[in-house]
Amino acid sequence: MRDGKTDAAVRTERLTRVYRVGRRRGQPPQERVALQEVDLKIRPGELFGLLGPNGAGKTTLIKILTTLLLPTSGRAWVAGYDVVTQPEAIRRRINMVAGGESCGYGLLTVRENLWMFSQFYGIENRTARQRIETLLERFGLRERGGSKLSDLSTGLRQKVNIIRGFLTDPQILFLDEPTLGLDVNAARQIRAFIREWVLERPGRTILLTTHDMHEAEALCDRVAIINRGRILACDTPENLKRGLQRDALFSLQVTAFPGSATLLQAIPGVRQVRGRHEDGRLELDLVLAEEGVIGPVISALTAQGAHILWLRKREPTLEDVFVHLVGRGLSEGTEEAG
Ligand SMILES: Nc1ncnc2c1ncn2[C@@H]1O[C@H](COP(=O)(O)OP(=O)(O)OP(=O)(O)O)[C@@H](O)[C@H]1O
Ligand SMILES: [Mg+2]
């Protein structure tokens, strides 16, 4: 029997997970809050993204939803079944792939590994073989089907992992950082496949995690931004960005100069300054209260001896949304919560 909440593919209510860490003799255990009262509702058919920096709690949430980890408090349902009391019903309907994990037996070939996994899920032999060939073809791996898994590069092995996720045709698929460590082309290929898969199968749901805002923007119908175990915002990428459209956003590149870009923060109307160095140049992303503020910014930079190489207005990104919510960039990680 499904335990209520049947209309959602995934639902959580005040879901909380606390890890006990650093247990040493004679010392009280320390607690680390990895998830804090998370309320989430993902509809069937959605391609839903969980976007957050390292340590935000993404993998912890995926592990609870895939019944690999118990919640400390709160509740969660997947396909209408309770993760604590009905884990078997959930496992029959889902699959999970974690980027960067090594999976399968190195001595078996790619085909043998995939076939073995299909048998764990009780997929009929002919269907399994057909699906394996279709997926190998789709990922450009047909020629490598007979190679031992251990002979493949990390990127190709990750593709095999992804194939393993889709092979069982799950009702709900959990992808934890699916493109982690892949080159641009391989990542693009996998994103295209993910998108196609949900489009072709109405009602199938994907929950993926990423710390890559481009991935979240390009792929997801809705995105929840998570930081330090809390969901800070949840909406379509467009709606999340719309909230920032009153600001003036600029990107510019300057030659290296002796001072620091943080001096720009003192200029009235400068809301955010993010900088990265590249080949002796400094690229700056600025969020300004209004366009006119760019004048004093340019004056301040030239006064420091910087030459402006280019300057352009830009549209808000999910990175801007994240900085707006959290006060720092996605790539800067989470300080340990708890
Ligand atoms: N087994 C564990 N024992 C103790 N603390 C843990 C454990 N697993 C995770 N944590 C802590 O819980 C928090 C959330 O970790 P989690 O792995 O869920 O984050 P994440 O968003 O997946 O990060 P990443 O992007 O690095 O994969 C972190 O503070 C982490 O140190
Ligand atoms: Mg993780």
Side-chain angles (χ1 to χ4, degrees):
M1 258 287 283
R2 289 193 193 204
D3 187 359
K5 322 284 177 188
T6 45
D7 52 335
V10 171
R11 167 124 190 204
T12 71
E13 265 178 20
R14 308 188 68 174
L15 188 66
T16 299
R17 171 69 204 202
V18 180
Y19 291 108
R20 289 183 208 294
V21 288
R23 246 177 294 199
R24 274 195 230 117
R25 204 175 298 176
Q27 285 198 354
Q30 281 200 325
E31 293 197 336
R32 182 173 295 153
V33 184
L35 284 180
Q36 239 177 119
E37 311 221 327
V38 166
D39 291 320
L40 209 56
K41 194 170 173 183
I42 302 173
R43 295 185 281 269
E46 271 194 306
L47 209 177
F48 191 94
L50 200 59
L51 174 69
N54 291 138
K58 305 181 294 294
T59 299
T60 302
L61 181 58
I62 294 270
K63 282 186 176 165
I64 292 175
L65 296 175
T66 53
T67 74
L68 298 173
L69 189 73
L70 287 170
T72 305
S73 64
R75 297 189 69 187
W77 298 263
V78 173
Y81 298 98
D82 186 306
V83 293
V84 176
T85 58
Q86 302 171 299
E88 289 82 13
I90 292 175
R91 284 177 203 159
R92 275 197 294 277
R93 292 166 171 82
I94 64 165
N95 204 342
M96 193 264 255
V97 179
E101 78 178 355
S102 60
C103 198
Y105 293 95
L107 286 175
L108 298 182
T109 67
V110 170
R111 275 197 187 83
E112 287 165 347
N113 268 294
L114 290 172
W115 188 79
M116 181 182 74
F117 281 114
S118 74
Q119 296 314 291
F120 292 163
Y121 278 80
I123 300 171
E124 191 261 326
N125 183 31
R126 255 185 53 169
T127 312
R129 292 197 188 277
Q130 258 167 18
R131 277 190 205 160
I132 290 169
E133 290 316 309
T134 310
L135 286 163
L136 286 176
E137 175 82 48
R138 184 65 177 71
F139 282 82
L141 274 175
R142 236 185 53 179
E143 261 88 81
R144 303 306 301 271
S147 304
K148 279 187 206 160
L149 198 63
S150 57
D151 291 346
L152 298 189
S153 69
T154 317
L156 292 187
R157 242 178 288 167
Q158 173 59 6
K159 280 193 186 177
V160 177
N161 258 342
I162 297 272
I163 291 178
R164 181 178 58 73
F166 290 99
L167 184 58
T168 61
D169 205 20
Q171 189 178 329
I172 302 167
L173 178 59
F174 296 89
L175 300 172
D176 194 6
E177 310 255 5
T179 58
L180 193 73
L182 294 179
D183 67 38
V184 180
N185 275 329
R188 196 177 294 147
Q189 195 180 26
I190 283 171
R191 283 180 203 137
F193 183 81
I194 291 172
R195 186 82 242 168
E196 247 178 68
W197 190 83
V198 281
L199 276 176
E200 285 169 3
R201 290 168 182 74
R204 300 295 162 94
T205 309
I206 292 185
L207 169 56
L208 68 86
T209 76
T210 182
H211 58 258
D212 180 341
M213 56 123 184
H214 295 293
E215 180 155 289
E217 263 190 272
L219 211 51
C220 301
D221 301 318
R222 284 198 304 146
V223 172
I225 294 181
I226 183 170
N227 187 52
R228 303 190 72 180
R230 283 183 190 279
I231 306 280
L232 301 179
C234 178
D235 211 328
T236 62
E238 293 68 36
N239 284 344
L240 288 170
K241 289 183 288 184
R242 196 163 294 148
L244 295 181
Q245 247 145 17
R246 274 176 305 138
D247 296 331
L249 281 70
F250 287 91
S251 288
L252 60 101
Q253 199 188 48
V254 295
T255 53
F257 60 100
S260 155
T262 48
L263 67 96
L264 298 178
Q265 241 132 18
I267 298 172
V270 173
R271 292 203 208 278
Q272 282 172 32
V273 180
R274 301 198 302 275
R276 56 192 171 273
H277 290 274
E278 247 171 63
D279 305 331
R281 289 161 181 190
L282 178 63
E283 209 168 301
L284 293 169
D285 286 335
L286 304 171
V287 180
L288 310 177
E290 42 123 354
E291 274 182 30
V293 181
I294 195 69
V297 166
I298 292 172
S299 306
L301 286 167
T302 7
Q304 293 283 313
H307 293 282
I308 295 176
L309 297 165
W310 53 257
L311 164 73
R312 61 178 161 79
K313 273 202 86 173
R314 62 183 179 85
E315 294 300 309
T317 64
L318 287 183
E319 176 87 17
D320 296 307
V321 176
F322 187 84
V323 176
H324 178 75
L325 290 167
V326 177
R328 62 196 156 72
L330 262 169
S331 53
E332 290 160 54
T334 279
E335 54 293 15
E336 295 288 298

